[in-house]
Amino acid sequence: MVIHDVVVVGAGLAGMRAAIEAARAGLNVAAVSKVHPVRSHSVAAQGGINAAIKEADSWEDHAFDTVKGSDYLGDQDAIEVLCREAPSDIMELERMGAVFSRDDAGRIAQRPFGGADYPRTCYLADRTGHGLVHLLYEQLIKHGVYLYDEWHVVSLVTHDNSVRGVIALELTTGKLHRLHSRAVIIATGGYGRVFNTSTNAITSTGDGMALALRAGAPLMDMEFVQFHPTTLKRTGILMTEGARGEGGYLINSAGERFMKAYAPSKLELASRDVVSRAEQKEIDAGRGVDGCVLLDMRHLGKDRIAERLPQIRDLAINFAGVDPVIAPVPIKPGAHYSMGGIMTDVDGKTPVEGLFAAGECACVSVHGANRLGGNSLLETIVFGRRAGKAAAGSCIKGRGLRDFPDPALADAASAIASILNRTEGESAHRLIAGAREAMEEHCWIFRTREGLEGGLKKIRKLRERYGRVALTDRSDCFNTELLTALEAGYILEISEAMLMGALARTESRGSHFRLDFPARNDKEWLRHTLVYREGKGCRMDYKDVRITRFTPAERKY
């Protein structure tokens, strides 16, 4: 058994920022990640990170844009924390060595992003996440955080609603290890891979959310999934919102700039849910091109694209066969971000003592029913820092090392052995494929009661089949088929929670659009959905949205 003060599960931006903050307090901190930190999905964030750092802007305006973007489902006290603390966190990143793009005066450059009334998105060309991940990895090493990379956490160990540590599978050997700790921070990212068409890395399977749910923590607002308007058709690779922030247009098969009909004020820079629905309507109406619409950047010119969007050009050429300097790029909406996640307060605390969460796997909630572009990277930094500080504080103030339950390791080993020793059964790959097909058919941009009920029925049947999952590979070293089998379980649990929440919410709000209930209903649904684990299934509850300064109003762009 290995002992640490704080164990961070996940080593993307939120996880690394949390680990750094806890280590600054002088604690023994470890980060556990199923991939090396610089391969975390945070590297895929392209467009930028929001902060009101100019005199003409204010954190209050940033907060209003965020509340409005959330379709008034975001908790306004948490949004105030996010936006108030954003400028100081940007300045700290710069002091660490972040190489932000600059304007002509040498200040941090900012570009416009969807749903914002001010160009407040700081950026590193179109590789912002990549730059910040490498920056924080350097800081992780500097602060002496112990790294277990290519280790996969298979269970959160709790007793009497108190976390005691984790059990992790070392992928290189197939051995299980007990990591005993005083606090655990989950920072495992989102669940985009419950869908086929997704911008997410293949590692984004909702691991931390499912583990927290099993440990007794509730998930919140799981029905709200952001569909990004500009992804490549075949691969789901992201074409950053920065392309539209720099002036790119969306056109249909007739060459019409169709966003004039859907968001006459903001056009392509309306919120992502509005733009995604507009694109899907154009495609469904027969005004698309091979199931897509077109992102036109030709008018920006080669020099500006080379300076501001070099990665986007490379991706379009290599994965779509189109050079955006000379032709429009075919794009369509794809699953992108998880607004829902593990319910936490503004310090990352969950209802399980000693368990914290931060980043996309957590739901504070600052994004509500729809996230603004540029706020996800900001969330990882602000709330990663706060979770790390709170976890360290709980240890310093006296949260001691509690007993590690003796049966925990044996139970985890037994569960894995039952999969490894089964000679006949279900293929994990087929179960995942079935789940993704069901979710994309029944829980996509436009939803109905009949469709959601059908999807829930399919997912529950797949969960029954999952009890018979078996492997063809029984080796110890890098058994990726075993990892896939574990991920299949997470995907199925998360999918059920999403469908339950979407079916129950009889309104349309933000990214959740019900064709049979197309209007927003503040009287009945200005509240968060909570999902708890109960036996082998789930139960639901609700809690009110916290409103401080902005009265809910109609959202127009």
Side-chain angles (χ1 to χ4, degrees):
M1 182 187 297
V2 181
I3 298 175
H4 298 281
D5 291 317
V6 179
V7 168
V8 182
V9 184
L13 286 175
M16 287 195 288
R17 188 62 189 86
I20 291 163
E21 195 66 21
R24 283 176 172 175
L27 299 182
N28 179 337
V29 182
V32 188
S33 176
K34 65 180 179 181
V35 296
H36 192 276
V38 299
R39 291 186 60 225
S40 71
H41 182 56
S42 296
V43 301
Q46 297 167 340
I49 179 170
N50 292 338
I53 59 173
K54 299 286 177 64
E55 290 183 2
D57 196 10
S58 69
W59 75 261
E60 292 92 344
D61 288 346
H62 183 188
F64 173 72
D65 288 343
T66 301
V67 170
K68 179 182 176 182
S70 80
D71 218 349
Y72 294 89
L73 194 75
D75 286 324
Q76 294 182 22
D77 56 344
I79 290 171
E80 289 180 26
V81 168
L82 178 78
C83 301
R84 190 192 294 268
E85 297 182 4
S88 60
D89 275 315
I90 292 293
M91 295 304 117
E92 183 176 24
L93 290 173
E94 187 178 39
R95 287 192 296 272
M96 287 179 181
V99 188
F100 289 108
S101 295
R102 299 282 163 170
D103 63 18
D104 293 340
R107 299 169 299 183
I108 294 175
Q110 293 180 289
R111 58 169 47 130
F113 253 41
D117 280 337
Y118 188 88
R120 65 172 63 91
T121 305
C122 312
Y123 58 94
L124 288 74
D126 56 357
R127 296 180 173 92
T128 311
H130 185 272
L132 294 182
V133 161
H134 283 265
L135 172 75
L136 290 191
Y137 180 63
E138 293 171 355
Q139 294 290 317
L140 197 76
I141 301 303
K142 174 183 176 180
H143 287 87
V145 174
Y146 195 89
L147 179 62
Y148 299 92
D149 66 287
E150 295 183 328
W151 284 43
H152 178 66
V153 172
V154 298
S155 68
L156 291 173
V157 180
T158 61
H159 185 66
D160 291 335
N161 198 45
S162 171
V163 75
R164 307 303 171 89
V166 304
I167 293 174
L169 177 70
E170 185 180 6
L171 297 179
T172 54
T173 65
K175 293 181 179 179
L176 288 174
H177 298 267
R178 293 175 293 174
L179 302 181
H180 195 179
S181 64
R182 295 197 275 170
V184 172
I185 304 172
I186 304 177
T188 53
Y191 51 80
R193 282 293 163 179
V194 305
F195 298 100
N196 277 317
T197 306
S198 174
T199 65
N200 285 200
I202 60 172
T203 54
S204 299
T205 49
D207 306 14
M209 298 182 202
L211 292 172
L213 185 65
R214 296 172 187 179
L219 302 183
M220 188 162 84
D221 294 342
M222 295 298 286
E223 63 267 37
F224 294 105
V225 182
Q226 181 164 88
F227 299 95
H228 198 286
T230 51
T231 76
L232 297 181
K233 179 181 180 181
R234 183 179 62 84
T235 61
I237 290 173
L238 179 66
M239 296 284 103
T240 175
E241 189 164 314
R244 287 173 283 134
E246 294 296 338
Y249 301 151
L250 293 174
I251 57 177
N252 59 22
S253 58
E256 298 168 335
R257 196 175 171 187
F258 59 84
M259 284 307 301
K260 294 177 181 179
Y262 299 95
S265 174
K266 289 291 186 182
L267 301 171
E268 287 84 5
L269 290 178
S271 63
R272 289 175 176 174
D273 61 315
V274 172
V275 180
S276 291
R277 283 194 294 274
E279 289 180 351
Q280 195 63 52
K281 287 179 180 178
E282 290 294 302
I283 294 167
D284 292 345
R287 294 188 290 271
V289 179
D290 191 25
C292 297
V293 292
L294 301 172
L295 174 62
D296 192 352
M297 296 177 277
R298 292 173 293 181
H299 55 287
L300 301 181
K302 183 177 181 179
D303 291 344
R304 187 170 183 179
I305 290 174
E307 177 190 353
R308 304 287 183 89
L309 302 166
Q311 180 178 225
I312 292 306
R313 186 184 183 194
D314 288 344
L315 291 172
I317 291 170
N318 293 329
F319 293 96
V322 177
D323 185 347
V325 171
I326 59 176
V329 181
I331 52 90
K332 69 174 186 176
H336 179 60
Y337 188 85
S338 320
M339 268 77 74
I342 304 161
M343 185 183 76
T344 74
D345 67 9
V346 294
D347 292 318
K349 295 179 183 177
T350 76
V352 177
E353 184 187 5
L355 181 64
F356 301 78
E360 191 175 354
C361 72
C363 186
V364 183
S365 150
V366 289
H367 306 307
N370 175 71
R371 176 177 68 80
L372 293 188
N375 273 354
S376 60
L377 289 184
L378 179 61
E379 178 191 24
T380 66
I381 302 302
V382 171
F383 291 108
R385 170 180 53 78
R386 291 179 69 95
K389 183 177 181 179
S394 73
C395 296
I396 293 169
K397 291 175 183 176
R399 177 172 167 77
L401 199 65
R402 313 290 176 86
D403 291 341
F404 198 97
D406 291 334
L409 183 62
D411 291 344
S414 176
I416 289 177
S418 67
I419 297 173
L420 286 170
N421 295 333
R422 193 173 289 124
T423 56
E424 294 182 358
E426 295 283 351
S427 161
H429 293 283
R430 288 199 183 101
L431 292 173
I432 290 175
R436 288 173 176 166
E437 183 180 335
M439 293 301 289
E440 200 143 320
E441 180 181 356
H442 300 290
C443 199
W444 198 241
I445 295 173
F446 296 111
R447 303 167 175 178
T448 64
R449 180 184 63 80
E450 183 180 13
L452 292 168
E453 286 177 343
L456 189 57
K457 186 176 179 180
K458 289 178 181 178
I459 291 297
R460 285 174 172 165
K461 285 184 176 178
L462 288 168
R463 287 197 68 184
E464 290 177 8
R465 291 170 55 190
Y466 180 72
R468 303 185 297 276
V469 68
L471 309 180
T472 57
D473 180 3
R474 295 178 179 81
S475 62
D476 293 325
C477 181
F478 280 107
N479 190 331
T480 56
E481 190 182 13
L482 173 60
L483 184 58
T484 299
L486 297 173
E487 291 172 338
Y490 307 144
I491 285 173
L492 290 168
E493 287 187 52
I494 294 302
S495 296
E496 182 174 13
M498 294 167 63
L499 287 160
M500 288 176 64
L503 181 60
R505 186 172 287 273
T506 52
E507 67 156 355
S508 290
R509 185 186 297 270
S511 65
H512 170 70
F513 196 92
R514 290 281 297 264
L515 292 172
D516 44 354
F517 295 96
R520 196 179 86 188
N521 183 350
D522 287 350
K523 183 177 180 180
E524 295 183 33
W525 288 107
L526 197 60
R527 54 182 182 163
H528 298 293
T529 305
L530 305 181
V531 177
Y532 293 83
R533 180 77 176 267
E534 193 168 77
K536 293 183 179 180
C538 298
R539 68 174 176 87
M540 292 176 57
D541 201 352
Y542 297 93
K543 73 169 188 172
D544 291 337
V545 173
R546 295 191 296 275
I547 297 172
T548 58
R549 63 173 66 206
F550 303 116
T551 302
E554 183 181 0
R555 190 173 61 134
K556 294 181 179 180
Y557 290 103

